[in-house]
Amino acid sequence: MEYVILANPGHSRVYLEQATQLCLAELTLCCRTFSTGCNSFRRESIAGLPYYVFTADHRLTTEELARLWRLSFVYAVYEQDGGKDAVEAVRLLPVEKTQDAFDPMVSSILKYPGKTNEQFTRLLINLALYSSRFAKEKRPLLLDPVAGKGTTLFEGLVLGCSVSGVEQNAKAVHEAQVYFKKYLETARYKFSLKQERLSGEHKSFSSAVSRFAFAPNKESFKTPGGPQELTLVAGDARYTDRYFKKNSFHLLVGDLPYGIAHGNVTSPGQGSSLTRNPLELVKACLPAWSRVLKTGGAIALAWNTFVLPKADLASVLEKGGLYVLLEPPYDQLEHRVDQAIRRDVIVAVKQ
């Protein structure tokens, strides 16, 4: 059985000439979670449009088709029928679209400088999910420890996760919280919002926390396991394990500072100044990040290879007790964003 995926026309513009290798990498990892064997992954041009094609040993289940629909580049999914000989015509039979867990517009409406593209953000989440032991988890728990204004969190909601984010910039967190509250009100969701402040011993840290629980209606809100959750922490990522319980999250996904226009605080003496070195950030925060990640959970981090070689980042993750995935297709994720940024993704699993 062959499956044919029409790529979103805007997807290739995000990655320029590297779109094909990124799509094939994401598709390959997704298919590894299926109960049937898949092979012959390739890109084909049909009537001038980009399609991604693969062969499955057996017909995919409803849940497996839903995973295809959640890929970052998908516009339409088809089963291929016919074409067994030179006379019989090939027919593409549309596969019904899977309903998103949350309105995908939530991550695209909010605009701000330095925002990561939504399609790339979804790619990051999928790379982590399909590299972890939790690809079949009904509602994965996702953490973005460098959350900015929440693009990763909002995309995680669309994919069915409950999400949490930590961000040093309190203004950015406030804007994300106000935006999401307004969004829920406008969409007439049933929701609750609890706000609190956490502080460490002798005021070693102080953080504002906003906790949303929400569902489309009152009935699903009252159902156990029904509401999704979004938690925003205005705080220091080094204290991630003080904000959340150990072994809490299935996935940790982050877009690290690119060394161009944004950064993070990594030391107490640094004050309000920012470092644009992603290696310093990971060294300072990885112990806490690892503690809140479940065994078998995966980390996916994007960064600018012009400011940090992959081998150096991999070394830090390995010393932190994580297993770094470097084999194909994990070696096909580097791509040019602009003149100053060549972005790559590293994926590691907690053993």
Side-chain angles (χ1 to χ4, degrees):
M1 170 68 68
E2 281 204 329
Y3 289 87
V4 180
I5 299 172
L6 174 62
N8 187 320
H11 193 269
S12 60
R13 291 194 292 271
V14 177
Y15 308 117
L16 303 177
E17 69 275 7
Q18 292 92 1
T20 297
Q21 67 189 45
L22 289 166
C23 293
L24 288 175
E26 184 183 6
L27 175 61
T28 300
L29 291 176
C30 176
C31 290
R32 287 181 182 178
T33 69
F34 295 167
S35 58
T36 187
C38 299
N39 53 76
S40 300
F41 299 97
R42 62 196 185 276
R43 182 185 186 276
E44 294 185 0
S45 180
I46 303 175
L49 294 175
Y51 287 79
Y52 291 86
V53 184
F54 69 95
T55 301
D57 293 342
H58 301 283
R59 175 165 279 140
L60 302 183
T61 66
T62 300
E63 173 53 35
E64 289 166 347
L65 291 171
R67 282 178 231 162
L68 289 183
W69 272 110
R70 291 194 288 265
L71 294 173
S72 68
F73 61 90
V74 171
Y75 190 75
V77 179
Y78 302 91
E79 287 185 349
Q80 184 166 297
D81 182 49
K84 297 181 178 62
D85 54 50
V87 177
E88 187 177 5
V90 172
R91 295 183 300 165
L92 296 182
L93 306 178
V95 173
E96 185 172 356
K97 187 180 187 305
T98 301
Q99 184 176 2
D100 294 314
F102 199 85
D103 183 0
M105 292 298 292
V106 68
S107 61
S108 59
I109 293 174
L110 186 61
K111 306 292 184 183
Y112 53 90
K115 178 181 180 180
T116 304
N117 177 274
E118 297 91 353
Q119 291 176 338
F120 177 72
T121 300
R122 184 172 295 204
L123 169 74
L124 272 181
I125 297 172
N126 282 332
L127 291 177
L129 180 62
Y130 298 135
S131 301
S132 74
R133 297 180 192 170
F134 304 107
K136 300 177 183 179
E137 187 75 22
K138 183 178 180 180
R139 182 168 291 166
L141 302 182
L142 179 149
L143 170 68
D144 182 354
V146 285
K149 292 186 182 180
T151 300
T152 300
L153 306 183
F154 299 144
E155 277 296 309
L157 295 180
V158 176
L159 294 175
C161 302
S162 279
V163 299
S164 299
V166 179
E167 171 55 42
Q168 179 76 34
N169 188 327
K171 182 180 177 182
V173 174
H174 175 71
E175 290 177 0
Q177 183 253 310
V178 170
Y179 164 75
F180 191 62
K181 182 174 182 290
K182 183 66 174 178
Y183 192 95
L184 293 174
E185 291 171 341
T186 302
R188 299 183 180 278
Y189 268 68
K190 173 65 178 176
F191 73 94
S192 65
L193 170 59
K194 298 179 181 179
Q195 295 178 290
E196 59 186 282
R197 181 164 290 278
L198 301 177
S199 60
E201 187 178 1
H202 305 304
K203 296 184 179 180
S204 57
F205 70 89
S206 180
S207 306
V209 184
S210 300
R211 305 183 192 276
F212 289 91
F214 50 93
N217 51 60
K218 291 182 179 180
E219 290 72 24
S220 54
F221 187 82
K222 295 177 180 178
T223 302
Q228 281 183 279
E229 297 179 353
L230 181 147
T231 300
L232 294 167
V233 178
D236 192 322
R238 290 174 300 141
Y239 302 125
T240 299
D241 58 339
R242 303 187 192 183
Y243 309 139
F244 305 104
K245 294 180 181 179
K246 295 180 180 179
N247 305 312
S248 295
F249 295 98
H250 303 97
L251 312 173
L252 189 150
V253 176
D255 197 17
L256 299 177
Y258 288 168
I260 304 299
H262 61 292
N264 292 82
V265 176
T266 58
S267 65
Q270 192 177 325
S272 60
S273 63
L274 299 180
T275 177
R276 295 178 180 175
N277 186 326
L279 190 61
E280 293 178 15
L281 173 65
V282 175
K283 283 182 177 179
C285 299
L286 185 61
W289 293 356
S290 181
R291 281 192 282 270
V292 300
L293 189 66
K294 290 179 179 290
T295 300
I299 291 178
L301 300 173
W303 85 102
N304 182 7
T305 60
F306 285 152
V307 299
L308 174 61
K310 187 171 188 175
D312 292 353
L313 182 54
S315 177
V316 170
L317 294 174
E318 288 172 345
K319 289 178 181 178
L322 302 174
Y323 179 72
V324 180
L325 301 168
L326 298 173
E327 69 277 8
Y330 297 99
D331 60 349
Q332 301 169 25
L333 303 174
E334 188 177 30
H335 57 281
R336 178 67 69 93
V337 176
D338 57 34
Q339 237 179 358
I341 300 174
R342 179 174 287 278
R343 185 166 57 192
D344 202 351
V345 179
I346 195 164
V347 182
V349 177
K350 180 178 177 180
Q351 296 183 305

